[in-house]
Amino acid sequence: SLHDAAKEIRLLFENLPLLQIPRKPRAILVGDFYAKYNNILNNNITEEILSLGAEVIIPSYTETVNHFLHEDVIDDRKNTKFHKGFVLCEKRFELVFRGLLEEEIFEPPMEECTRLVDHYSFDRSLAGETAISLGRVLYMLEKRQVEAIVHINPVFCCPGVVSSSIFQRIKEEYKVPVIDLFYDGNNKPNDLLKPQLYYLCKNN
């Protein structure tokens, strides 16, 4: 089963020797669903972030499903059982890795993300990518688990443009770098990471 496989994976990691070194600065990757998970579209951005000396946190594939199920519960109490079952299933896997990974980097409670987004006066009735990205980023910043935000989208992505404008306010309030990257297939937006992450990692 997948659950048994997860237990075996934990054992493999527990047997790895660990160096006692300070934690590297963390960058969270948010934005368009395909841009986050497609290494061809994003020009292997995760490898780029790692090579610059930072860690990268990539949200789970499941956060989109979690978000929309939770919005259904808020709007008219639909899918309540589905949402509870979904969360319990995800927590079951997280329990396997508790103690090996910090709990703050597990999937955040969608209720908490929603509360933080509402604080920014965002119209939560417009469920989707912007609400997902904002909730995730605000949760991680409140938990002090990330030092940079990398926001990636295909060129002309409407939710990406909206998120980008709101992230400027977050950038000022939380004093963290926000790196907006838009891909059109020709340019090399990942080059914009280099000066930002270079100074962030150097000062840590």
Side-chain angles (χ1 to χ4, degrees), residues 21-49:
I21 57 175
R23 178 170 72 79
K24 296 178 180 180
R26 284 178 177 157
I28 185 167
L29 198 61
V30 294
D32 176 78
F33 184 89
Y34 296 105
K36 282 186 294 189
Y37 305 121
N38 190 314
N39 289 334
I40 296 175
L41 190 155
N42 65 38
N43 298 328
N44 290 310
I45 192 169
T46 54
E47 294 300 321
E48 188 75 40
I49 293 171

Side-chain angles (χ1 to χ4, degrees), residues 109-153:
M110 201 53 66
E111 295 80 5
E112 181 69 8
C113 292
T114 299
R115 183 187 67 78
L116 291 167
V117 171
D118 287 346
H119 174 68
Y120 268 73
S121 301
F122 178 76
D123 187 353
R124 192 177 31 77
S125 64
L126 298 174
E129 182 188 303
T130 296
I132 293 170
S133 294
L134 287 175
R136 169 76 61 154
V137 164
L138 290 168
Y139 180 85
M140 299 301 285
L141 288 173
E142 287 289 323
K143 297 291 183 181
R144 301 183 183 277
Q145 287 298 305
V146 293
E147 287 74 39
I149 301 160
V150 181
H151 177 230
I152 63 176
N153 298 275

Side-chain angles (χ1 to χ4, degrees), residues 57-115:
I57 294 177
I58 307 173
S60 167
Y61 283 104
T62 61
E63 72 169 353
T64 301
V65 178
N66 192 351
H67 169 74
F68 282 108
L69 285 174
H70 183 251
E71 289 298 319
D72 285 347
V73 172
I74 291 175
D75 289 343
D76 50 19
R77 309 305 298 175
K78 286 184 178 179
N79 291 328
T80 303
K81 291 183 179 179
F82 285 119
H83 185 246
K84 285 183 178 179
F86 178 89
V87 172
L88 286 172
C89 181
E90 197 157 62
K91 293 297 179 188
R92 186 166 171 254
F93 281 92
E94 289 178 351
L95 281 171
V96 174
F97 296 97
R98 184 165 291 173
L100 185 67
L101 298 173
E102 299 170 35
E103 289 190 38
E104 288 82 358
I105 67 171
F106 289 147
E107 288 301 290
M110 201 53 66
E111 295 80 5
E112 181 69 8
C113 292
T114 299
R115 183 187 67 78

Side-chain angles (χ1 to χ4, degrees), residues 3 32 50 69 76 115 134 136 157 164 170 176 185 187 203:
H3 197 253
D32 176 78
L50 292 171
L69 285 174
D76 50 19
R115 183 187 67 78
L134 287 175
R136 169 76 61 154
C157 175
S164 181
I170 292 174
V176 295
N187 61 350
N203 293 328

